[in-house]
DNA sequence: CTTCTTGTTACTGA
DNA sequence: ATCAGTAACAAGAA
């Protein structure tokens, strides 16, 4: 499940590969994931001048057109870049039928291509997604402003200060702390993996209500949000099931996971065992002894 | 066959 | 208004 560190890793990879490359065309292989109608054909002879990230959402800015291309990978979406050379060597892409478009690029099976961007020089960027939850959308500047409003503060930006964090907490006193961390309208980009890891690092039980947190605990939580996300970006994210970067490589944070996906295993801090429960409709992993 | 999983949105009822 | 809970989405894994 790509969360902030994974999306940031993808963004960095994409910037290196596709900025300023002239776009030849878009292929909408699966109509379900492309939320616009025929309108996208307007984008011609343009290129991307910058790629931004809003929480878990990728924002592609065009050089000439004021529209923005948005890509959300949801749970199993992947963006895989393939150079012309690679494509010539390996790909046998069956046009239109993604279930048959099986190939092996960048060590990844591109079995579920839903969308791709073709560059004039022959390079391609594929959106591969088994479960079809991902989406691609082109929006005008006005729509983008509205979308932006739905996202909370960026936890790795200087905007995310202790003061802002404390203010958010007091605005949501009755919320469960795990649900608080997952709420994209408050802090953008934290998902199920990092919410569990941040709470473990802070030794705070995911069951706790925001109102029960002592000021010292809030401080620790604030520092760990920054620390864990920053470290995960440095490690190029966590590959638990499907996530890969634009090269098709796994993330390096997997072996640093302390609780996520470790239910039943020994806690790395004490002699207890990691427990898995359900909070806010999500599988939640924690150590009942360390986390209070 | 059923159940579980996940990010997000939408809905319900408290 | 705010919150928890749940269904929906899709499809693979167990």
């Amino acid at each position: 499940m790509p969360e902030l560190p994974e999306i940031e890793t993808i963004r960095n990879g994409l910037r290196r590969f596709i900025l300023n490359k002239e776009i030849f065309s878009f292929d909408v292989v699966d109509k379900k994931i492309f939320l616009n109608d025929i309108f996208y054909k307007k984008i011609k002879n343009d290129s991307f001048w910058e790629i931004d990230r809003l929480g878990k959402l990728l924002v592609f800015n065009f050089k000439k057109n004021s529209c923005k291309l948005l890509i959300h990978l949801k749970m199993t979406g992947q963006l895989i870049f393939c150079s012309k050379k690679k494509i010539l060597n390996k790909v046998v892409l069956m046009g239109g039928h993604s279930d048959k478009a099986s190939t092996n690029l960048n060590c990844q099976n591109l079995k579920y291509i839903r969308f791709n961007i073709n560059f004039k020089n022959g390079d391609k960027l594929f959106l591969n997604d088994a479960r079809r939850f991902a989406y691609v959308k082109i929006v005008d500047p006005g729509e983008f402003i509205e979308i932006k409003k739905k996202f909370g503060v960026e936890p790795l930006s200087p905007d995310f200060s202790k003061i802002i964090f404390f203010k958010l907490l007091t605005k949501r006193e009755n919320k469960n702390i795990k649900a608080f961390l997952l709420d994209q309208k408050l802090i953008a980009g934290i998902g199920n993996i990092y919410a569990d890891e941040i709470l473990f690092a802070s030794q705070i039980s995911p069951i706790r209500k925001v109102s029960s947190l002592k000021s010292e605990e809030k401080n620790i939580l604030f520092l760990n949000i920054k620390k864990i996300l920053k470290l995960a970006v440095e490690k190029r994210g966590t590959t638990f099931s499907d996530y890969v970067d634009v090269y098709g490589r796994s993330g390096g944070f997997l072996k640093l996971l302390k609780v996520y996906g470790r239910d039943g295993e020994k806690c790395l801090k004490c002699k207890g065992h990691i427990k898995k429960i359900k909070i806010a409709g999500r599988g939640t992993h924690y150590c009942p002894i360390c986390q209070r």
Side-chain angles (χ1 to χ4, degrees):
Chain A
M1 308 107 295
E3 305 178 25
L4 184 150
E6 291 75 32
I7 302 300
E8 184 64 13
T9 304
I10 291 168
R11 185 181 86 92
N12 287 330
L14 286 175
R15 288 185 78 248
R16 203 165 312 140
F17 282 128
I18 69 170
L19 289 189
N20 304 312
K21 275 185 186 166
E22 201 159 348
I23 300 161
F24 177 67
S25 63
F26 297 151
D27 291 333
V28 179
V29 182
D30 180 352
K31 279 204 161 130
K32 183 192 179 274
I33 64 103
F34 195 81
L35 303 186
N36 297 79
D37 44 27
I38 208 75
F39 162 77
Y40 69 90
K41 297 217 160 146
K42 268 170 66 176
I43 311 294
K44 272 261 172 177
N45 302 315
D46 209 337
S47 58
F48 301 118
W49 70 270
E50 185 54 292
I51 303 164
D52 298 321
R53 181 183 55 71
L54 262 187
K56 303 170 193 170
L57 183 67
L58 282 163
V59 180
F60 297 73
N61 300 280
F62 293 101
K63 199 171 264 177
K64 296 177 195 162
N65 204 300
S66 62
C67 291
K68 290 169 193 289
L69 176 81
L70 310 181
I71 297 184
H72 200 303
L73 299 175
K74 291 284 182 88
M75 291 176 300
T76 53
Q78 306 170 326
L79 282 171
I80 307 287
F81 176 83
C82 294
S83 65
K84 180 185 181 180
K85 206 169 144 192
K86 213 154 212 166
I87 290 161
L88 287 176
N89 287 340
K90 299 211 187 162
V91 186
V92 189
L93 287 172
M94 324 280 191
H97 299 286
S98 61
D99 52 322
K100 286 180 186 151
S102 181
T103 180
N104 201 310
L105 291 161
N106 294 331
C107 310
Q108 279 300 308
N109 279 325
L110 289 177
K111 275 202 288 197
Y112 305 104
I113 295 167
R114 309 293 175 191
F115 173 80
N116 52 285
I117 301 173
N118 309 307
F119 296 94
K120 262 210 178 113
N121 69 353
D123 295 347
K124 286 172 187 277
L125 180 66
F126 294 99
L127 170 54
N128 192 57
D129 182 24
R131 294 189 194 169
R132 304 172 73 205
F133 279 6
Y135 68 79
V136 179
K137 191 179 186 183
I138 294 176
V139 296
D140 60 43
E143 273 177 283
F144 183 68
I145 288 167
E146 290 309 306
I147 288 166
K148 213 172 171 180
K149 283 182 190 163
K150 295 181 194 160
F151 287 84
V153 62
E154 284 294 329
L156 291 184
S157 80
D159 295 349
F160 185 55
S161 63
K162 203 176 273 188
I163 295 162
I164 294 284
F165 180 58
F166 275 56
K167 232 181 236 170
L168 287 174
L169 285 166
T170 49
K171 270 207 298 191
R172 290 289 187 283
E173 285 275 300
N174 292 319
K175 230 175 174 178
N176 172 284
I177 186 59
K178 164 117 181 192
F180 175 91
L181 291 174
L182 290 177
D183 193 334
Q184 304 299 301
K185 292 185 288 294
L186 304 173
I187 301 169
I190 300 173
N192 211 26
I193 295 175
Y194 297 108
D196 284 2
E197 294 300 317
I198 288 163
L199 286 171
F200 177 80
S202 307
Q203 306 207 48
I204 294 169
S205 167
I207 301 163
R208 297 272 296 278
K209 266 196 165 191
V210 169
S211 57
S212 78
L213 296 175
K214 298 188 195 83
S215 164
E216 179 59 18
E217 291 174 316
K218 293 179 183 177
N219 272 326
I220 291 168
L221 198 49
F222 172 75
L223 293 174
N224 279 319
I225 291 171
K226 295 234 182 214
K227 191 176 144 192
I228 300 264
L229 293 177
K230 206 178 141 204
L231 181 63
V233 171
E234 282 166 17
K235 299 288 175 189
R236 301 177 3 266
T238 303
T239 298
F240 197 77
S241 53
D242 300 277
Y243 162 74
V244 287
D245 69 9
V246 290
Y247 303 89
R249 295 182 308 185
S250 298
F253 198 75
L254 182 70
K255 44 184 178 293
L256 298 182
L257 294 180
K258 304 262 198 300
V259 286
Y260 188 86
R262 297 192 67 246
D263 33 316
E265 290 176 42
K266 269 212 178 92
C267 172
L268 299 171
K269 235 179 212 165
C270 73
K271 301 227 156 67
H273 289 85
I274 304 304
K275 210 173 149 186
K276 186 176 182 185
I277 57 170
K278 202 158 215 165
I279 295 178
R282 287 289 163 264
T284 299
H285 315 71
Y286 75 112
C287 173
I289 295 169
C290 292
Q291 291 172 259
R292 295 286 167 181

